[in-house]
Amino acid sequence: YQTLRAIPNVVVPDTQRLPRDVLAGAGEAVEYPMVIRPVGSQAGRDLERIQDNAELQAYLVRVDAPSFYTMPFIDFGKADGYYRKYRIIVVDGVPYPFHLAISPRWMIHYYNAPMRENAWMRQEEEHFLSGFESVFEPRLQRALRAVSEKLGLEYFGIDCSIDREGRLLIFEADPAMIVHAGDDLEMFGYKHPYAHHIFAAFERLIDRARSR
């Protein structure tokens, strides 16, 4: 991720891997607020926002792990009090929107965001999918292309948001993100065509690789 920080309009929090004993003795030398999780954890397990040294010490008592990832917390909440996490899949340099999760909590996963309970959230997600280039306006499209060039991967996903300055805030970028068309058709049918756009782009990528 270090190389991505030089890209204009891209924000990638500085992540450190620290052993337990270093964190336990860091005290006020640590920058707060920060986000912490054990090395090897996934899907938000033991991922927490830490406000001060007292919370850090309490966390280390609760969570038994030899080492942790830490990063500064960047508040990406919007004026309406909600947080947004976009998933974009890049195939052969072209970004495709996959989903938008909206939640009152900063730690967002699609499965725990209240998308089923709120029609306005689904409407906003549909707008993101159908009007991708209006939500991710030209400078963010340029940022996405630059990220693709820097990573040099033919296929990968990005979980991200748009920070309060309108920049691309990257949470994760890797080639192993879940892409599916298994959502309830009655409630989330608007998502299915966009998943199939990604499937088709991936099939074209494989076909070109075979022809080579």
Side-chain angles (χ1 to χ4, degrees):
Y1 293 135
Q2 187 66 38
T3 60
L4 302 184
R5 295 194 183 98
I7 300 173
N9 298 308
V10 172
V11 178
V12 184
D14 183 22
T15 302
Q16 298 186 69
R17 178 172 176 159
L18 298 172
R20 168 181 289 275
D21 58 343
V22 169
L23 273 172
E28 297 302 331
V30 176
E31 180 183 350
Y32 300 103
M34 72 172 182
V35 175
I36 187 170
R37 70 175 175 89
V39 171
S41 69
Q42 297 293 331
R45 180 175 62 84
D46 293 323
L47 174 67
E48 293 187 23
R49 179 173 59 187
I50 303 295
Q51 296 294 125
D52 54 36
N53 183 53
E55 287 191 8
L56 174 59
Q57 299 309 317
Y59 175 87
L60 293 174
V61 170
R62 289 195 311 275
V63 180
D64 183 18
S67 55
F68 301 85
Y69 289 121
T70 68
M71 68 184 71
F73 174 73
I74 297 175
D75 192 348
F76 59 99
K78 300 300 184 185
D80 62 2
Y82 288 87
Y83 296 87
R84 288 157 173 84
K85 187 197 76 170
Y86 303 90
R87 178 163 292 183
I88 298 165
I89 306 299
V90 181
V91 186
D92 205 16
V94 178
Y96 295 86
F98 175 61
H99 74 210
L100 162 61
I102 305 173
S103 176
R105 299 183 296 175
W106 67 269
M107 186 170 61
I108 309 174
H109 297 281
Y110 199 90
Y111 68 84
N112 65 16
M115 304 295 290
R116 283 184 169 274
E117 296 83 356
N118 293 280
W120 71 265
M121 292 182 178
R122 299 192 299 276
Q123 290 166 1
E124 185 173 331
E125 181 180 36
E126 185 173 9
H127 173 66
F128 162 63
L129 295 170
S130 64
F132 175 47
E133 293 188 354
S134 66
V135 178
F136 278 67
E137 42 83 15
R139 68 171 180 164
L140 293 177
Q141 293 287 332
R142 290 192 294 272
L144 286 169
R145 288 195 294 272
V147 168
S148 177
E149 291 169 4
K150 283 286 187 184
L151 292 179
L153 297 172
E154 292 179 308
Y155 176 90
F156 66 96
I158 298 176
D159 276 352
C160 61
S161 192
I162 302 171
D163 77 358
R164 293 176 176 180
E165 297 180 30
R167 300 172 298 181
L168 181 68
L169 172 60
I170 296 179
F171 304 134
E172 182 179 352
D174 65 63
M177 290 187 178
I178 295 174
V179 182
H180 65 86
D183 290 293
D184 173 34
L185 273 171
E186 184 174 349
M187 184 168 289
F188 296 101
Y190 61 87
K191 295 177 60 177
H192 286 237
Y194 300 95
H196 285 284
H197 290 167
I198 296 168
F199 300 158
F202 186 73
E203 289 171 1
R204 291 193 297 270
L205 177 64
I206 295 301
D207 288 342
R208 284 195 296 274
R210 286 175 175 170
S211 67
R212 292 199 295 266

